Amino acid sequence: MARNIQSLERAAAMLRLLAGGERRLGLSDIASSLGLAKGTAHGILRTLQQEGFVEQDDASGRYQLGAELLRLGTTYLDVHELRARALVWTDDLARSSGESVHLGVLHQHGVLIVHHVFRPDDSRQVLEIGAMQPLHSTALGKVLSAYDPVAHSEVLESDRKSFTERTVCDLDDLEKILDITRARGYAADVEETWEGIASVAAPIHDRRRMPVGAVGINGAVERLCRDGELRPELIAAVRDCARAVSRDLGAGRF
């Protein structure tokens, strides 16, 4: 049996780590997270940086994914029918809602962000294409878990980590939430994954009426919620976007 090349495995783990969140990571953070010596981690980072897969911030010395990796990923994403069909509709959703828009698909026991439209203001934002989100706590993940049988099986078998005091980890409680999601056609996440952040998402279906992804908006609780509840007009806008993309994929009317 062919042996795996350890340096490539470590480089792949490093790229996944950097893709897992918004913040840049320092050398010590990366080394400790992956169980590597600082010298080993620095050598891999230096090689990835030379190839353009990782960039280092001059001011802080911290690392983030580089433009070359994004270029390679975009080559794949550009031929992804779901993303191609969703481009116009997600742009419209960002403009109408005033919030950032994410398009996600099931991937490796989580939600892979395949398209991200920035919130239409002048605030500093980080592109999240390629980031992974959990199935059990995010609006995108709950939509996929409610409508996709494979995602449903994976969320039940996964290690459902608690991110905030509001995260639902209990299996019976989660099943009830997924039932509600299917009944009303959308999922919500109000500070279940990130403190101060709310999101709402709806399912996208293909021509076979099979769930192929989810689209949603996220932003500050004070903008998305009113009197503790998600604003109805934002829920309607997300559902309209999901229906429009589904129709473009041949799903017909829902």
Side-chain angles (χ1 to χ4, degrees):
M1 181 182 294
R3 297 175 60 185
N4 293 342
I5 300 175
Q6 188 180 55
S7 59
L8 292 180
E9 289 180 332
R10 289 172 170 175
M14 201 168 285
L15 293 174
R16 291 192 186 99
L17 179 65
L18 290 171
E22 294 185 11
R23 63 190 180 94
R24 298 183 178 96
L25 295 175
L27 175 59
S28 296
D29 298 324
I30 295 171
S32 62
S33 295
L34 300 179
L36 299 175
K38 283 187 180 180
T40 302
H42 185 257
I44 296 172
L45 284 167
R46 187 171 62 248
T47 301
L48 291 172
Q49 186 177 1
Q50 290 171 351
E51 296 298 326
F53 296 138
V54 164
E55 296 174 356
Q56 186 178 27
D57 181 66
D58 292 334
S60 67
R62 292 175 173 264
Y63 295 89
Q64 64 184 22
L65 293 181
E68 180 63 15
L69 191 66
L70 179 61
R71 185 189 68 79
L72 292 176
T74 302
T75 301
Y76 163 73
L77 293 173
D78 281 343
V79 300
H80 195 296
E81 185 180 8
L82 172 61
R83 180 177 183 269
R85 296 288 186 177
L87 289 176
V88 172
W89 300 112
T90 50
D91 283 348
D92 286 346
L93 178 58
R95 282 193 294 270
S96 65
S97 67
E99 301 295 341
S100 62
V101 178
H102 293 91
L103 185 70
V105 299
L106 178 66
H107 181 69
Q108 293 183 349
H109 311 292
V111 183
L112 173 67
I113 303 302
V114 297
H115 185 51
H116 175 200
V117 184
F118 281 168
R119 185 171 62 253
D121 59 19
D122 295 327
S123 63
R124 185 178 181 276
Q125 300 173 64
V126 177
L127 188 67
E128 295 180 38
I129 293 176
M132 293 291 294
Q133 293 186 2
L135 287 171
H136 69 287
S137 63
T138 61
L140 292 172
K142 283 185 275 190
V143 161
L144 293 174
S145 300
Y147 286 89
D148 185 336
V150 176
H152 184 255
S153 296
E154 292 187 356
V155 76
L156 298 186
E157 297 170 1
S158 67
D159 179 17
R160 294 177 295 278
K161 178 181 177 181
S162 179
F163 299 104
T164 74
E165 293 181 352
R166 294 173 176 260
T167 307
V168 176
C169 301
D170 179 78
L171 184 56
D172 290 338
D173 291 340
L174 181 59
E175 285 282 32
K176 292 176 183 177
I177 290 173
L178 298 182
D179 287 341
I180 293 172
T181 297
R182 283 185 287 267
R184 65 188 183 183
Y186 70 91
D189 167 9
V190 180
E191 296 190 284
E192 293 179 46
T193 311
W194 301 281
E195 296 283 356
I197 299 297
S199 61
V200 57
I204 296 172
H205 297 80
D206 66 7
R207 60 184 61 86
R208 299 168 298 164
R209 297 292 181 99
M210 297 295 292
V212 293
V215 63
I217 61 173
N218 75 302
V221 171
E222 58 267 24
R223 295 198 305 268
L224 267 66
C225 297
R226 182 185 302 125
D227 298 327
E229 300 291 336
L230 286 164
R231 291 163 52 195
E233 65 271 23
L234 295 180
I235 295 172
V238 170
R239 297 191 68 193
D240 286 345
C241 177
R243 292 191 190 101
V245 178
S246 297
R247 285 195 297 269
D248 275 5
L249 288 171
R253 298 187 65 86
F254 276 84

